[in-house]
Amino acid sequence: MVLDNDFKQAQERVDELITLLDRYSHEYYVLDRPSIEDSEYDKLYHELLHLEETYPALIQQDSPTQRVGGTLLPGFEKVEHDLPMLSLDNAFDFEGLQAFDKRVQQLVSGEIEYECELKIDGLAVSLKYEEGKLTQAVTRGDGRVGENVTGNVKTIKAVPLKLRRPVSIEARGEIYMPKASFIKLNTDREEQGEAVFANPRNAAAGTLRNLDPKVTASRNLNLFLYSMVQYGELEIETQSEALETLEKLGLRTNPDRAIFQSIEGVWSYIEEYQEKRSQLPYEIDGIVIKVNRFDEQEQAGYTVKAPRWAIAYKFPAEETKTRINEIEWSVGRTGVVTPTAIMDAVQLAGTTVKRASLHNVDLIKERDIRLDDLVFVRKAGDIIPEVVRVDFDSRTENSVPCEIPVNCPACESELVHLEDEVALRCVNPKCPAQAKERLIHFVSRNAMNIDGLGEKIVIQLFERHLVEDVSNLYDLDLEQLMTLDKIAEKSADNLLKAIEGSKRNSMERLLFGLGIKHVGAKAARLLSEKYETIEALKQATQEDIQVIEGIGEIIAESVVAFFELEAAIDLLDKLKAHGVNMTYTGPKKVETADTTSVFYDKTIVITGKLEHYKRNELKETLTRLGANVTGSISKKTDILIAGADAGSKLTKAQELEVPVWDEEALINEIGQ
Ligand code: IVH
């Protein structure tokens, strides 16, 4: 077959890009040692995406663009494991461990070495790689038959689609949701009136079994591999070698592990991690202790359910009992009314706890939580206090079910319990509690980021009727600000400057700040990159919006509904009249590049002093036009843009016969 030149070049570049992106992903997600900026990664990723769109024949199954499939999964096919996925016997104290050690000593001849690993609280998965390519990911299921979740596992960036060597192996590990992602997910869900997950494990399980891989991709799952059950030709004799081999193949393992010659050594490791547990970024529920040598594992053998060569030490649950004195109901910015238990203060996992979110009415009913109850509290995701259950034995006879409010605690309007929601909602658009929360959100760091305008000041502004909706922030003057508590002239002046400065923010900050349902900071950025102005976004249809990668139907529908609201249009008009910027001024994506531009797909270097352009802005403009702006001259450079006093780069370009453009040529092509 005769391939045309462009195609061949594209093919080479695709290979090169996949290798580069795989390397950067490995550094970022597996080694936790990124070597490039996110924006640089995004640029290469979009270059690859663009080549694949132009030449669909070049799409490889293990390309990083193929991580998130476009369509909903029909369900999860059942798959029988080649080797059963067993579970582990448990020990709960030192005596239990001693008994395990004694048993192992009886079964194994020779010195025993124990390898200790953290027991990650997630769900087990088995990954198969054939000739280096990920072919299958299956959940544990009942140990014999699991579910094929390959489509979703591929969205986890720490899982390489291709190993560093073309080997055929089966590795097993634990998929988990980091504590921070769990907390963020639950906070978002609570705010949107959706049911919250009880703990990171449930959240990980729900996410892995979601039929929409886009949802899985957005929830930041991760994994650690902890064993290799089939390893083909590889020569491995111990568990620690197996983990090192997995690492060398590019797979993620947990570096917190250690080897001990005695069960006393194992105990010291357990004590160490019992202390460190709450500081880890993921939940662990114990320590797994494994006989290190494979030949000794063989000697120890298996029961029907579990290996005799390993045991799980389970940490005691960090729970404590306290009494509920009050149930407080508060209204969030979207109108969701959330109950919080106010309790007698208790010490729990290193902090004093006296409040715990009860999340929603359904949860109160389900757990039958009442005033004056003695309850067990623990920390979900090791951070957020949570009421686990009631101590029913201590409940008094005259106890009555918790009173559920019928009216909004802030505005008295009747609350609604929408059919598809677990939350109670205040639907009064004028509810002051919602307005106050909307203001707090508008000025917050990821939104308009108005320095010095903290929650306390916003509340004062609101309660003193100086600000009613976000547009009033831009009406404030020095005198008004100086009437606030603890605000002197200097800080009032700074505040005014910060408010004024926020008018120049790029569109995505405003869009996020508006608090449109389901539009988080990331969605706001994607929408702004695509539409560039609020006006263009307002004109867009749902069909138009939902095809953007990273934006689904739910977000698209919500955006369109927002722009249909008269109040939203009024607010935007007021903001515009104040001079608030409504245009995207951040970096542009290659995706939107004009393929007819002379710079499209060209590798360009800029050097020397420029008179008519700011270097960064020029770089952005060229990138938007589809160029790849790099730092050094090579044979692959298509154009050198040389300003005054250009030095060695100009000489090198001339040597390599790379075309050189001066600023005048640029002005002719793109204007100033
Ligand atoms: S080894 C034969 N290592 O704990 C089973 N398991 O109760 C070998 N787990 O189903 C499992 N971290 O899902 C092993 N470092 C680790 C682990 C680990 C978490 C889970 C795993 C297993 C369960 C056993």
Side-chain angles (χ1 to χ4, degrees):
M1 185 171 65
V2 183
L3 295 176
D4 85 19
N5 229 2
D6 283 358
F7 184 83
K8 261 204 255 165
Q9 263 185 5
Q11 193 164 30
E12 272 169 31
R13 183 66 181 152
V14 163
D15 289 343
E16 193 173 81
L17 285 168
I18 292 181
T19 310
L20 270 178
L21 290 167
D22 278 353
R23 194 179 95 210
Y24 296 140
S25 258
H26 180 252
E27 286 169 351
Y28 189 98
Y29 293 104
V30 179
L31 304 179
D32 210 3
R33 255 191 341 245
S35 68
I36 57 159
E37 294 286 323
D38 290 1
S39 58
E40 185 67 16
Y41 182 95
D42 286 349
K43 219 172 88 190
L44 297 172
Y45 182 89
H46 283 106
E47 189 187 342
L48 176 62
L49 202 60
H50 179 79
L51 283 171
E52 290 175 340
E53 271 164 17
T54 317
Y55 303 101
L58 293 181
I59 300 178
Q60 300 178 17
Q61 276 320 295
D62 51 14
S63 161
T65 60
Q66 302 305 298
R67 283 194 180 270
V68 189
T71 48
L72 290 189
L73 303 171
F76 300 104
E77 166 211 0
K78 299 265 188 260
V79 178
E80 188 167 345
H81 296 292
D82 291 349
L83 297 159
M85 287 184 82
L86 301 176
S87 64
L88 292 174
D89 284 338
N90 295 321
F92 298 96
D93 48 28
F94 185 55
E95 285 67 44
L97 281 183
Q98 281 178 313
F100 162 73
D101 182 37
K102 202 166 152 202
R103 232 174 15 247
V104 174
Q105 305 270 8
Q106 282 164 358
L107 295 164
V108 173
S109 57
E111 292 288 292
I112 294 159
E113 234 176 36
Y114 289 117
E115 197 251 6
C116 296
E117 295 169 19
L118 306 186
K119 187 169 186 302
I120 313 297
D121 200 6
L123 58 148
V125 71
S126 196
L127 306 183
K128 255 195 196 169
Y129 285 88
E130 282 165 40
E131 291 173 10
K133 303 215 165 159
L134 177 67
T135 52
Q136 199 177 61
V138 182
T139 60
R140 179 173 183 275
D142 62 6
R144 194 181 64 81
V145 176
E147 286 180 316
N148 186 337
V149 286
T150 317
N152 279 343
V153 167
K154 277 167 82 175
T155 70
I156 304 175
K157 306 264 188 27
V159 175
L161 302 180
K162 196 164 95 190
L163 296 178
R164 308 207 137 173
R165 287 170 53 193
V167 288
S168 298
I169 60 161
E170 181 174 350
R172 290 176 178 174
E174 197 83 351
I175 292 195
Y176 65 91
M177 184 175 284
K179 288 175 191 170
S181 312
F182 164 73
I183 288 160
K184 181 169 181 306
L185 175 65
N186 263 2
T187 312
D188 288 352
R189 289 177 71 90
E190 191 170 294
E191 215 166 82
Q192 307 296 354
E194 294 166 85
V196 292
F197 289 107
N199 51 49
R201 179 170 19 90
N202 287 8
T207 301
L208 191 65
R209 296 194 71 259
N210 197 297
L211 289 174
D212 185 353
K214 275 191 180 164
V215 171
T216 312
S218 71
R219 295 232 190 118
N220 197 26
L221 293 179
N222 209 335
L223 102 164
F224 284 122
L225 290 154
Y226 54 63
S227 79
M228 222 166 160
V229 289
Q230 304 198 58
Y231 39 93
E233 305 290 286
L234 298 168
E235 280 182 25
I236 301 168
E237 293 185 350
T238 62
Q239 166 67 6
S240 43
E241 274 172 29
L243 296 183
E244 282 156 22
T245 307
L246 290 173
E247 278 163 22
K248 285 190 191 131
L249 291 172
L251 291 156
R252 187 165 185 259
T253 63
N254 193 326
D256 285 329
R257 53 185 195 247
I259 291 179
F260 297 97
Q261 324 297 332
S262 70
I263 209 71
E264 286 73 22
V266 168
W267 186 248
S268 66
Y269 182 84
I270 290 175
E271 285 183 323
E272 181 186 339
Y273 276 92
Q274 189 128 355
E275 284 290 307
K276 287 187 181 160
R277 182 182 175 193
S278 61
Q279 288 144 37
L280 292 169
Y282 44 83
E283 271 202 359
I284 61 172
D285 59 344
I287 301 290
V288 181
I289 301 113
K290 304 175 181 177
V291 169
N292 196 29
R293 294 195 56 83
F294 285 174
D295 54 0
E296 293 182 347
Q297 289 187 359
E298 285 302 309
Q299 286 176 25
Y302 296 81
T303 66
V304 200
K305 271 185 22 233
R308 288 201 177 92
W309 46 262
I311 196 155
Y313 172 83
K314 291 290 227 21
F315 290 135
E318 278 194 86
E319 266 185 17
T320 181
K321 235 196 247 183
T322 184
R323 189 174 301 280
I324 298 187
N325 297 317
E326 186 191 337
I327 293 178
E328 187 184 272
W329 297 84
S330 57
V331 191
R333 107 185 117 86
T334 57
V336 169
V337 178
T338 315
T340 303
I342 315 293
M343 309 166 298
D344 283 343
V346 275
Q347 278 302 111
L348 180 62
T351 61
T352 309
V353 167
K354 49 177 187 255
R355 300 169 66 87
S357 173
L358 297 173
H359 301 301
N360 54 60
V361 180
D362 288 13
L363 190 129
I364 294 185
K365 288 186 182 156
E366 208 178 276
R367 299 193 189 162
D368 190 17
I369 296 167
R370 303 181 183 185
L371 261 185
D372 292 331
D373 270 347
L374 266 181
V375 291
F376 292 92
V377 285
R378 54 160 272 170
K379 284 186 177 167
D382 279 348
I383 298 176
I384 311 275
E386 189 191 43
V387 175
V388 196
R389 62 186 190 284
V390 173
D391 177 10
F392 290 110
D393 294 341
S394 66
R395 184 177 271 173
T396 54
E397 263 174 37
N398 51 10
S399 150
V400 285
C402 174
E403 210 174 301
I404 308 296
V406 190
N407 298 98
C408 171
C411 71
E412 295 288 316
S413 65
E414 203 174 319
L415 296 175
V416 293
H417 197 160
L418 299 178
E419 222 175 83
D420 56 343
E421 292 190 341
V422 289
L424 271 181
R425 212 180 254 281
C426 167
V427 288
N428 171 13
K430 298 223 158 72
C431 170
Q434 288 178 53
K436 186 166 77 187
E437 294 299 326
R438 278 200 296 271
L439 265 174
I440 293 171
H441 173 74
F442 185 80
V443 304
S444 67
R445 201 154 51 96
N446 287 334
M448 294 299 265
N449 192 22
I450 304 183
D451 223 15
L453 206 48
E455 207 168 308
K456 285 200 180 120
I457 299 184
V458 175
I459 293 174
Q460 280 188 62
L461 288 170
F462 186 78
E463 286 174 354
R464 297 182 189 190
H465 304 286
L466 291 169
V467 174
E468 267 159 17
D469 71 36
V470 298
S471 75
N472 303 138
L473 284 171
Y474 299 100
D475 293 317
L476 288 168
D477 61 28
L478 198 68
E479 228 168 87
Q480 287 172 321
L481 286 175
M482 282 175 62
T483 63
L484 302 179
D485 298 344
K486 296 189 194 140
I487 297 264
E489 187 168 349
K490 178 97 179 75
S491 33
D493 191 45
N494 286 341
L495 209 50
L496 263 193
K497 285 194 181 120
I499 294 173
E500 188 61 26
S502 74
K503 291 183 183 173
R504 294 189 293 275
N505 280 341
S506 180
M507 167 181 163
E508 70 280 15
R509 288 190 170 274
L510 172 65
L511 191 57
F512 175 57
L514 290 171
I516 304 171
K517 203 172 168 191
H518 301 297
V519 178
K522 187 172 163 213
R525 183 173 51 77
L526 294 172
L527 291 166
S528 306
E529 277 173 0
K530 166 90 185 193
Y531 290 99
E532 301 196 0
T533 64
I534 293 276
E535 192 53 40
L537 178 61
K538 193 168 113 187
Q539 307 298 339
T541 62
Q542 186 183 327
E543 291 68 38
D544 226 20
I545 300 174
Q546 69 195 24
V547 294
I548 303 175
E549 203 187 307
I551 304 272
E553 200 181 318
I554 297 173
I555 297 178
E557 198 180 321
S558 173
V559 170
V560 172
F562 175 80
F563 285 111
E564 278 166 3
L565 294 173
E566 208 174 303
I569 303 301
D570 283 352
L571 178 65
L572 283 166
D573 284 346
K574 282 197 268 177
L575 289 169
K576 203 163 166 188
H578 278 293
V580 174
N581 170 50
M582 310 246 156
T583 307
Y584 178 62
T585 55
K588 303 289 187 314
K589 276 209 215 173
V590 184
E591 255 185 318
T592 55
D594 167 9
T595 48
T596 61
S597 156
V598 288
F599 300 116
Y600 182 75
D601 220 14
K602 294 286 186 291
T603 301
I604 300 181
V605 177
I606 308 172
T607 190
K609 286 192 202 110
L610 301 174
E611 203 183 317
H612 302 282
Y613 300 94
K614 282 204 182 112
R615 188 181 282 243
N616 269 349
E617 287 173 11
L618 176 61
K619 194 172 162 188
E620 263 174 30
T621 308
L622 293 171
T623 308
R624 195 172 61 236
L625 292 170
N628 181 21
V629 182
T630 64
S632 59
I633 301 276
S634 74
K635 275 192 299 201
K636 290 194 178 149
T637 311
D638 294 303
I639 301 171
L640 172 73
I641 294 170
D645 302 327
S648 61
K649 286 187 187 161
L650 179 59
T651 325
K652 189 154 181 209
Q654 284 161 342
E655 271 167 26
L656 295 172
E657 296 183 17
V658 170
V660 179
W661 286 36
D662 59 13
E663 278 189 271
E664 210 165 308
L666 259 187
I667 294 171
N668 284 337
E669 190 58 43
I670 56 174
Q672 268 189 41

